[in-house]
Amino acid sequence: MSKILFVMTGADHWTLNDGTEHPTGYWAEEAATPYRALREAGHQVVVATPGGVVPPVDPASLGPDANGGAEQARELADTLAAMTELDRPLAVADVDLDDYDAVLYPGGHGPMEDLARDADSGRLLVRALASGKPLAVVCHGPAALLAAVDPATGRNAFAGRRIAAFTDAEETLAGLADRAPWLLQTRLAEAGLLLDTTTPWAPHVVVDGNLLTGQNPASSAPLAQELLKQLG
């Protein structure tokens, strides 16, 4: 049995250009789908957030429209209800990477608000990348990579690594690009990461050594399978 750390947002809103607080949090599928796959394979999950706050779920991710129908939405709700780890998260600052076999960052717009500039999470990511342990990140989760600064060089620790992430085209189709303070794909590219993208909303996973990334919510299931493969 392996022990996997889920690092999740503690933000329940994303501050837009005009100062409006857009309700958000983590995207339910991107936490629930990997959780279900890992638990069914016999692994343990621990949750951590900035400050140890209970991670808020994006209400837009819970409905039938976001999940392919009412039955799938009910299954998702059941999985979240079973995720008692969400009720007692650790603080990211208190995490000892040696206690875990892998790390996973779900997405949602929440990470754009907090994890993108969280220094504790950034240091954890630098250590995780260097450790060789599987590091899985999906959708808007790669916003957290922006806080990962190599102390030796002052550059982003993930510069030059191939990744998938939620694209600017997808943000445009989702209706928030023109109100966003910044766009994820653009900002990651500016930090020196190499974006490998596909058609909007299509599943897409990129593996670069121990770094596993998925482009969008549809990528959470194949990302979980790739993580299981690396866990052996």
Side-chain angles (χ1 to χ4, degrees), residues 170-200:
E170 286 169 320
E171 203 72 80
T172 299
L173 291 169
L176 283 171
D178 60 345
R179 302 172 62 199
W182 49 276
L183 296 175
L184 181 59
Q185 180 182 358
T186 296
R187 186 65 62 86
L188 289 167
E190 290 171 351
L193 286 77
L194 307 178
L195 276 294
D196 180 334
T197 64
T198 192
T199 307

PDB file of all heavy atoms in Angstrom, residues 170-200:
ATOM      1  N   GLU A 170      -9.373  26.810 -23.701  1.00  0.00           N
ATOM      2  CA  GLU A 170     -10.411  26.252 -22.828  1.00  0.00           C
ATOM      3  C   GLU A 170     -10.950  27.316 -21.878  1.00  0.00           C
ATOM      4  O   GLU A 170     -12.158  27.351 -21.610  1.00  0.00           O
ATOM      5  CB  GLU A 170      -9.846  25.047 -22.066  1.00  0.00           C
ATOM      6  CG  GLU A 170      -9.696  23.819 -22.954  1.00  0.00           C
ATOM      7  CD  GLU A 170      -8.896  22.696 -22.331  1.00  0.00           C
ATOM      8  OE1 GLU A 170      -7.867  22.989 -21.669  1.00  0.00           O
ATOM      9  OE2 GLU A 170      -9.275  21.519 -22.509  1.00  0.00           O
ATOM     10  N   GLU A 171     -10.070  28.182 -21.387  1.00  0.00           N
ATOM     11  CA  GLU A 171     -10.531  29.261 -20.517  1.00  0.00           C
ATOM     12  C   GLU A 171     -11.468  30.196 -21.268  1.00  0.00           C
ATOM     13  O   GLU A 171     -12.457  30.696 -20.722  1.00  0.00           O
ATOM     14  CB  GLU A 171      -9.333  30.038 -19.962  1.00  0.00           C
ATOM     15  CG  GLU A 171      -9.614  30.791 -18.689  1.00  0.00           C
ATOM     16  CD  GLU A 171      -9.780  29.888 -17.479  1.00  0.00           C
ATOM     17  OE1 GLU A 171      -8.758  29.440 -16.918  1.00  0.00           O
ATOM     18  OE2 GLU A 171     -10.942  29.638 -17.090  1.00  0.00           O
ATOM     19  N   THR A 172     -11.163  30.424 -22.545  1.00  0.00           N
ATOM     20  CA  THR A 172     -12.021  31.262 -23.383  1.00  0.00           C
ATOM     21  C   THR A 172     -13.383  30.603 -23.576  1.00  0.00           C
ATOM     22  O   THR A 172     -14.432  31.240 -23.426  1.00  0.00           O
ATOM     23  CB  THR A 172     -11.355  31.519 -24.746  1.00  0.00           C
ATOM     24  OG1 THR A 172     -10.112  32.198 -24.534  1.00  0.00           O
ATOM     25  CG2 THR A 172     -12.249  32.371 -25.640  1.00  0.00           C
ATOM     26  N   LEU A 173     -13.376  29.303 -23.871  1.00  0.00           N
ATOM     27  CA  LEU A 173     -14.630  28.579 -24.069  1.00  0.00           C
ATOM     28  C   LEU A 173     -15.443  28.503 -22.776  1.00  0.00           C
ATOM     29  O   LEU A 173     -16.680  28.464 -22.813  1.00  0.00           O
ATOM     30  CB  LEU A 173     -14.342  27.170 -24.589  1.00  0.00           C
ATOM     31  CG  LEU A 173     -13.795  27.091 -26.013  1.00  0.00           C
ATOM     32  CD1 LEU A 173     -13.290  25.693 -26.324  1.00  0.00           C
ATOM     33  CD2 LEU A 173     -14.871  27.497 -27.025  1.00  0.00           C
ATOM     34  N   ALA A 174     -14.755  28.491 -21.646  1.00  0.00           N
ATOM     35  CA  ALA A 174     -15.447  28.460 -20.357  1.00  0.00           C
ATOM     36  C   ALA A 174     -16.033  29.825 -19.987  1.00  0.00           C
ATOM     37  O   ALA A 174     -16.803  29.934 -19.029  1.00  0.00           O
ATOM     38  CB  ALA A 174     -14.493  27.996 -19.260  1.00  0.00           C
ATOM     39  N   GLY A 175     -15.651  30.861 -20.721  1.00  0.00           N
ATOM     40  CA  GLY A 175     -16.261  32.178 -20.542  1.00  0.00           C
ATOM     41  C   GLY A 175     -15.589  33.101 -19.553  1.00  0.00           C
ATOM     42  O   GLY A 175     -16.137  34.153 -19.222  1.00  0.00           O
ATOM     43  N   LEU A 176     -14.369  32.734 -19.087  1.00  0.00           N
ATOM     44  CA  LEU A 176     -13.728  33.560 -18.066  1.00  0.00           C
ATOM     45  C   LEU A 176     -12.441  34.233 -18.543  1.00  0.00           C
ATOM     46  O   LEU A 176     -11.875  35.049 -17.805  1.00  0.00           O
ATOM     47  CB  LEU A 176     -13.424  32.717 -16.825  1.00  0.00           C
ATOM     48  CG  LEU A 176     -14.623  32.414 -15.922  1.00  0.00           C
ATOM     49  CD1 LEU A 176     -14.249  31.389 -14.862  1.00  0.00           C
ATOM     50  CD2 LEU A 176     -15.130  33.694 -15.257  1.00  0.00           C
ATOM     51  N   ALA A 177     -11.981  33.925 -19.743  1.00  0.00           N
ATOM     52  CA  ALA A 177     -10.676  34.424 -20.176  1.00  0.00           C
ATOM     53  C   ALA A 177     -10.609  35.949 -20.194  1.00  0.00           C
ATOM     54  O   ALA A 177      -9.592  36.540 -19.800  1.00  0.00           O
ATOM     55  CB  ALA A 177     -10.339  33.869 -21.559  1.00  0.00           C
ATOM     56  N   ASP A 178     -11.697  36.596 -20.647  1.00  0.00           N
ATOM     57  CA  ASP A 178     -11.653  38.055 -20.770  1.00  0.00           C
ATOM     58  C   ASP A 178     -11.749  38.769 -19.422  1.00  0.00           C
ATOM     59  O   ASP A 178     -11.506  39.969 -19.329  1.00  0.00           O
ATOM     60  CB  ASP A 178     -12.757  38.554 -21.707  1.00  0.00           C
ATOM     61  CG  ASP A 178     -14.153  38.186 -21.238  1.00  0.00           C
ATOM     62  OD1 ASP A 178     -14.275  37.309 -20.359  1.00  0.00           O
ATOM     63  OD2 ASP A 178     -15.127  38.781 -21.740  1.00  0.00           O
ATOM     64  N   ARG A 179     -12.075  38.027 -18.364  1.00  0.00           N
ATOM     65  CA  ARG A 179     -12.168  38.615 -17.020  1.00  0.00           C
ATOM     66  C   ARG A 179     -11.051  38.131 -16.105  1.00  0.00           C
ATOM     67  O   ARG A 179     -10.934  38.581 -14.966  1.00  0.00           O
ATOM     68  CB  ARG A 179     -13.518  38.271 -16.400  1.00  0.00           C
ATOM     69  CG  ARG A 179     -14.708  38.751 -17.226  1.00  0.00           C
ATOM     70  CD  ARG A 179     -16.015  38.204 -16.659  1.00  0.00           C
ATOM     71  NE  ARG A 179     -16.247  38.663 -15.303  1.00  0.00           N
ATOM     72  CZ  ARG A 179     -17.083  38.076 -14.456  1.00  0.00           C
ATOM     73  NH1 ARG A 179     -17.735  36.974 -14.819  1.00  0.00           N
ATOM     74  NH2 ARG A 179     -17.268  38.570 -13.244  1.00  0.00           N
ATOM     75  N   ALA A 180     -10.227  37.220 -16.601  1.00  0.00           N
ATOM     76  CA  ALA A 180      -9.180  36.623 -15.774  1.00  0.00           C
ATOM     77  C   ALA A 180      -8.021  37.582 -15.569  1.00  0.00           C
ATOM     78  O   ALA A 180      -7.606  38.273 -16.504  1.00  0.00           O
ATOM     79  CB  ALA A 180      -8.664  35.347 -16.437  1.00  0.00           C
ATOM     80  N   PRO A 181      -7.469  37.635 -14.358  1.00  0.00           N
ATOM     81  CA  PRO A 181      -6.297  38.475 -14.129  1.00  0.00           C
ATOM     82  C   PRO A 181      -5.064  37.970 -14.873  1.00  0.00           C
ATOM     83  O   PRO A 181      -4.163  38.733 -15.193  1.00  0.00           O
ATOM     84  CB  PRO A 181      -6.102  38.417 -12.610  1.00  0.00           C
ATOM     85  CG  PRO A 181      -6.798  37.172 -12.176  1.00  0.00           C
ATOM     86  CD  PRO A 181      -7.937  36.976 -13.125  1.00  0.00           C
ATOM     87  N   TRP A 182      -5.023  36.677 -15.132  1.00  0.00           N
ATOM     88  CA  TRP A 182      -3.967  36.077 -15.945  1.00  0.00           C
ATOM     89  C   TRP A 182      -4.446  34.709 -16.412  1.00  0.00           C
ATOM     90  O   TRP A 182      -5.389  34.148 -15.852  1.00  0.00           O
ATOM     91  CB  TRP A 182      -2.652  35.958 -15.179  1.00  0.00           C
ATOM     92  CG  TRP A 182      -2.741  35.335 -13.805  1.00  0.00           C
ATOM     93  CD1 TRP A 182      -3.072  35.962 -12.636  1.00  0.00           C
ATOM     94  CD2 TRP A 182      -2.507  33.962 -13.448  1.00  0.00           C
ATOM     95  NE1 TRP A 182      -3.056  35.066 -11.584  1.00  0.00           N
ATOM     96  CE2 TRP A 182      -2.698  33.845 -12.049  1.00  0.00           C
ATOM     97  CE3 TRP A 182      -2.120  32.826 -14.173  1.00  0.00           C
ATOM     98  CZ2 TRP A 182      -2.538  32.641 -11.363  1.00  0.00           C
ATOM     99  CZ3 TRP A 182      -1.954  31.627 -13.495  1.00  0.00           C
ATOM    100  CH2 TRP A 182      -2.168  31.534 -12.097  1.00  0.00           C
ATOM    101  N   LEU A 183      -3.814  34.206 -17.469  1.00  0.00           N
ATOM    102  CA  LEU A 183      -4.193  32.933 -18.066  1.00  0.00           C
ATOM    103  C   LEU A 183      -3.101  31.905 -17.801  1.00  0.00           C
ATOM    104  O   LEU A 183      -1.910  32.188 -17.938  1.00  0.00           O
ATOM    105  CB  LEU A 183      -4.435  33.088 -19.560  1.00  0.00           C
ATOM    106  CG  LEU A 183      -5.604  34.002 -19.929  1.00  0.00           C
ATOM    107  CD1 LEU A 183      -5.680  34.190 -21.445  1.00  0.00           C
ATOM    108  CD2 LEU A 183      -6.925  33.445 -19.402  1.00  0.00           C
ATOM    109  N   LEU A 184      -3.523  30.705 -17.428  1.00  0.00           N
ATOM    110  CA  LEU A 184      -2.597  29.687 -16.947  1.00  0.00           C
ATOM    111  C   LEU A 184      -1.578  29.275 -18.005  1.00  0.00           C
ATOM    112  O   LEU A 184      -0.371  29.254 -17.740  1.00  0.00           O
ATOM    113  CB  LEU A 184      -3.387  28.468 -16.456  1.00  0.00           C
ATOM    114  CG  LEU A 184      -2.558  27.324 -15.895  1.00  0.00           C
ATOM    115  CD1 LEU A 184      -1.710  27.783 -14.708  1.00  0.00           C
ATOM    116  CD2 LEU A 184      -3.458  26.163 -15.488  1.00  0.00           C
ATOM    117  N   GLN A 185      -2.034  28.915 -19.189  1.00  0.00           N
ATOM    118  CA  GLN A 185      -1.109  28.459 -20.228  1.00  0.00           C
ATOM    119  C   GLN A 185      -0.058  29.524 -20.527  1.00  0.00           C
ATOM    120  O   GLN A 185       1.140  29.232 -20.612  1.00  0.00           O
ATOM    121  CB  GLN A 185      -1.879  28.107 -21.504  1.00  0.00           C
ATOM    122  CG  GLN A 185      -0.987  27.622 -22.636  1.00  0.00           C
ATOM    123  CD  GLN A 185      -1.776  27.335 -23.908  1.00  0.00           C
ATOM    124  OE1 GLN A 185      -2.991  27.449 -23.952  1.00  0.00           O
ATOM    125  NE2 GLN A 185      -1.076  26.956 -24.953  1.00  0.00           N
ATOM    126  N   THR A 186      -0.509  30.754 -20.660  1.00  0.00           N
ATOM    127  CA  THR A 186       0.410  31.856 -20.953  1.00  0.00           C
ATOM    128  C   THR A 186       1.427  32.040 -19.843  1.00  0.00           C
ATOM    129  O   THR A 186       2.642  32.170 -20.090  1.00  0.00           O
ATOM    130  CB  THR A 186      -0.378  33.158 -21.158  1.00  0.00           C
ATOM    131  OG1 THR A 186      -1.206  33.019 -22.304  1.00  0.00           O
ATOM    132  CG2 THR A 186       0.554  34.344 -21.346  1.00  0.00           C
ATOM    133  N   ARG A 187       0.979  32.034 -18.599  1.00  0.00           N
ATOM    134  CA  ARG A 187       1.878  32.287 -17.474  1.00  0.00           C
ATOM    135  C   ARG A 187       2.892  31.145 -17.313  1.00  0.00           C
ATOM    136  O   ARG A 187       4.066  31.392 -17.003  1.00  0.00           O
ATOM    137  CB  ARG A 187       1.058  32.469 -16.197  1.00  0.00           C
ATOM    138  CG  ARG A 187       1.863  32.876 -14.975  1.00  0.00           C
ATOM    139  CD  ARG A 187       2.508  34.254 -15.096  1.00  0.00           C
ATOM    140  NE  ARG A 187       1.541  35.312 -15.232  1.00  0.00           N
ATOM    141  CZ  ARG A 187       0.944  35.934 -14.209  1.00  0.00           C
ATOM    142  NH1 ARG A 187       1.201  35.561 -12.963  1.00  0.00           N
ATOM    143  NH2 ARG A 187       0.104  36.925 -14.425  1.00  0.00           N
ATOM    144  N   LEU A 188       2.442  29.904 -17.509  1.00  0.00           N
ATOM    145  CA  LEU A 188       3.368  28.774 -17.411  1.00  0.00           C
ATOM    146  C   LEU A 188       4.445  28.859 -18.488  1.00  0.00           C
ATOM    147  O   LEU A 188       5.628  28.598 -18.222  1.00  0.00           O
ATOM    148  CB  LEU A 188       2.603  27.459 -17.526  1.00  0.00           C
ATOM    149  CG  LEU A 188       1.719  27.091 -16.332  1.00  0.00           C
ATOM    150  CD1 LEU A 188       0.773  25.952 -16.698  1.00  0.00           C
ATOM    151  CD2 LEU A 188       2.555  26.706 -15.112  1.00  0.00           C
ATOM    152  N   ALA A 189       4.046  29.221 -19.700  1.00  0.00           N
ATOM    153  CA  ALA A 189       5.016  29.365 -20.786  1.00  0.00           C
ATOM    154  C   ALA A 189       6.016  30.469 -20.471  1.00  0.00           C
ATOM    155  O   ALA A 189       7.220  30.332 -20.740  1.00  0.00           O
ATOM    156  CB  ALA A 189       4.291  29.644 -22.097  1.00  0.00           C
ATOM    157  N   GLU A 190       5.543  31.555 -19.903  1.00  0.00           N
ATOM    158  CA  GLU A 190       6.436  32.657 -19.526  1.00  0.00           C
ATOM    159  C   GLU A 190       7.449  32.222 -18.474  1.00  0.00           C
ATOM    160  O   GLU A 190       8.568  32.754 -18.415  1.00  0.00           O
ATOM    161  CB  GLU A 190       5.619  33.836 -18.998  1.00  0.00           C
ATOM    162  CG  GLU A 190       4.803  34.547 -20.071  1.00  0.00           C
ATOM    163  CD  GLU A 190       3.837  35.576 -19.499  1.00  0.00           C
ATOM    164  OE1 GLU A 190       3.663  35.637 -18.254  1.00  0.00           O
ATOM    165  OE2 GLU A 190       3.243  36.318 -20.300  1.00  0.00           O
ATOM    166  N   ALA A 191       7.070  31.246 -17.636  1.00  0.00           N
ATOM    167  CA  ALA A 191       7.962  30.728 -16.602  1.00  0.00           C
ATOM    168  C   ALA A 191       8.940  29.694 -17.144  1.00  0.00           C
ATOM    169  O   ALA A 191       9.782  29.184 -16.386  1.00  0.00           O
ATOM    170  CB  ALA A 191       7.150  30.132 -15.454  1.00  0.00           C
ATOM    171  N   GLY A 192       8.819  29.357 -18.431  1.00  0.00           N
ATOM    172  CA  GLY A 192       9.775  28.450 -19.052  1.00  0.00           C
ATOM    173  C   GLY A 192       9.333  27.012 -19.170  1.00  0.00           C
ATOM    174  O   GLY A 192      10.104  26.149 -19.603  1.00  0.00           O
ATOM    175  N   LEU A 193       8.069  26.708 -18.805  1.00  0.00           N
ATOM    176  CA  LEU A 193       7.561  25.351 -18.949  1.00  0.00           C
ATOM    177  C   LEU A 193       7.126  25.124 -20.396  1.00  0.00           C
ATOM    178  O   LEU A 193       6.730  26.068 -21.091  1.00  0.00           O
ATOM    179  CB  LEU A 193       6.399  25.099 -17.987  1.00  0.00           C
ATOM    180  CG  LEU A 193       6.788  24.934 -16.521  1.00  0.00           C
ATOM    181  CD1 LEU A 193       7.108  26.267 -15.858  1.00  0.00           C
ATOM    182  CD2 LEU A 193       5.671  24.244 -15.736  1.00  0.00           C
ATOM    183  N   LEU A 194       7.203  23.896 -20.847  1.00  0.00           N
ATOM    184  CA  LEU A 194       6.900  23.550 -22.233  1.00  0.00           C
ATOM    185  C   LEU A 194       5.507  22.948 -22.296  1.00  0.00           C
ATOM    186  O   LEU A 194       5.289  21.812 -21.850  1.00  0.00           O
ATOM    187  CB  LEU A 194       7.940  22.572 -22.778  1.00  0.00           C
ATOM    188  CG  LEU A 194       9.407  23.011 -22.624  1.00  0.00           C
ATOM    189  CD1 LEU A 194      10.351  21.945 -23.159  1.00  0.00           C
ATOM    190  CD2 LEU A 194       9.647  24.353 -23.309  1.00  0.00           C
ATOM    191  N   LEU A 195       4.553  23.691 -22.832  1.00  0.00           N
ATOM    192  CA  LEU A 195       3.160  23.260 -22.858  1.00  0.00           C
ATOM    193  C   LEU A 195       2.899  22.325 -24.030  1.00  0.00           C
ATOM    194  O   LEU A 195       3.205  22.646 -25.177  1.00  0.00           O
ATOM    195  CB  LEU A 195       2.232  24.469 -22.930  1.00  0.00           C
ATOM    196  CG  LEU A 195       1.873  25.155 -21.598  1.00  0.00           C
ATOM    197  CD1 LEU A 195       1.046  24.246 -20.721  1.00  0.00           C
ATOM    198  CD2 LEU A 195       3.109  25.636 -20.869  1.00  0.00           C
ATOM    199  N   ASP A 196       2.335  21.181 -23.712  1.00  0.00           N
ATOM    200  CA  ASP A 196       1.959  20.162 -24.702  1.00  0.00           C
ATOM    201  C   ASP A 196       0.441  20.026 -24.592  1.00  0.00           C
ATOM    202  O   ASP A 196      -0.067  19.479 -23.617  1.00  0.00           O
ATOM    203  CB  ASP A 196       2.676  18.849 -24.371  1.00  0.00           C
ATOM    204  CG  ASP A 196       2.350  17.724 -25.345  1.00  0.00           C
ATOM    205  OD1 ASP A 196       1.270  17.747 -25.964  1.00  0.00           O
ATOM    206  OD2 ASP A 196       3.170  16.802 -25.464  1.00  0.00           O
ATOM    207  N   THR A 197      -0.285  20.547 -25.572  1.00  0.00           N
ATOM    208  CA  THR A 197      -1.738  20.625 -25.456  1.00  0.00           C
ATOM    209  C   THR A 197      -2.427  19.915 -26.608  1.00  0.00           C
ATOM    210  O   THR A 197      -1.816  19.614 -27.638  1.00  0.00           O
ATOM    211  CB  THR A 197      -2.199  22.086 -25.426  1.00  0.00           C
ATOM    212  OG1 THR A 197      -1.873  22.713 -26.672  1.00  0.00           O
ATOM    213  CG2 THR A 197      -1.509  22.848 -24.302  1.00  0.00           C
ATOM    214  N   THR A 198      -3.716  19.676 -26.436  1.00  0.00           N
ATOM    215  CA  THR A 198      -4.520  19.055 -27.483  1.00  0.00           C
ATOM    216  C   THR A 198      -5.834  19.812 -27.603  1.00  0.00           C
ATOM    217  O   THR A 198      -6.018  20.884 -27.022  1.00  0.00           O
ATOM    218  CB  THR A 198      -4.752  17.561 -27.176  1.00  0.00           C
ATOM    219  OG1 THR A 198      -5.297  16.912 -28.331  1.00  0.00           O
ATOM    220  CG2 THR A 198      -5.693  17.358 -26.001  1.00  0.00           C
ATOM    221  N   THR A 199      -6.779  19.233 -28.343  1.00  0.00           N
ATOM    222  CA  THR A 199      -8.084  19.838 -28.563  1.00  0.00           C
ATOM    223  C   THR A 199      -8.778  20.149 -27.231  1.00  0.00           C
ATOM    224  O   THR A 199      -8.710  19.346 -26.298  1.00  0.00           O
ATOM    225  CB  THR A 199      -8.961  18.856 -29.361  1.00  0.00           C
ATOM    226  OG1 THR A 199      -8.251  18.464 -30.534  1.00  0.00           O
ATOM    227  CG2 THR A 199     -10.281  19.486 -29.749  1.00  0.00           C
ATOM    228  N   PRO A 200      -9.432  21.310 -27.122  1.00  0.00           N
ATOM    229  CA  PRO A 200     -10.149  21.619 -25.883  1.00  0.00           C
ATOM    230  C   PRO A 200     -11.083  20.501 -25.451  1.00  0.00           C
ATOM    231  O   PRO A 200     -11.797  19.925 -26.269  1.00  0.00           O
ATOM    232  CB  PRO A 200     -10.928  22.889 -26.252  1.00  0.00           C
ATOM    233  CG  PRO A 200     -10.054  23.576 -27.242  1.00  0.00           C
ATOM    234  CD  PRO A 200      -9.475  22.448 -28.070  1.00  0.00           C
TER     235      PRO A 200
END
